[in-house]
Amino acid sequence: MSYRHEQLVAAARAAGDRTDSDIAERLKVARVTAWRLRTGRTTPGASTLAKIEQAYGLTAAVLLRTEAA
């Protein structure tokens, strides 16, 4: 499974969030967590996925994809 962080970046920009601080504030997470999510350094867990869906309308199905075997 891979995390499609570019989807988060596009949704954040569309919502007017340009910085890690903007994303962190909207998701109510630490700025370093927002940076990790934005850059793809970490995959969001269930609670963060729920925050992303609520804030940006992106579902887990959009953000996560299963690699073909």
Side-chain angles (χ1 to χ4, degrees), residues 15-29:
D17 295 342
R18 301 276 187 240
T19 67
D20 294 333
S21 294
D22 293 338
I23 295 169
E25 186 176 324
R26 189 176 298 266
L27 296 180
K28 298 188 182 4
V29 298

Side-chain angles (χ1 to χ4, degrees), residues 21-41:
S21 294
D22 293 338
I23 295 169
E25 186 176 324
R26 189 176 298 266
L27 296 180
K28 298 188 182 4
V29 298
R31 189 179 55 79
V32 69
T33 301
W35 173 79
R36 288 177 180 152
L37 291 168
R38 182 183 56 77
T39 60
R41 301 262 196 277

Side-chain angles (χ1 to χ4, degrees), residues 55-68:
Y56 297 116
L58 296 173
T59 64
V62 170
L63 290 171
L64 304 174
R65 67 175 168 228
T66 303
E67 299 299 322

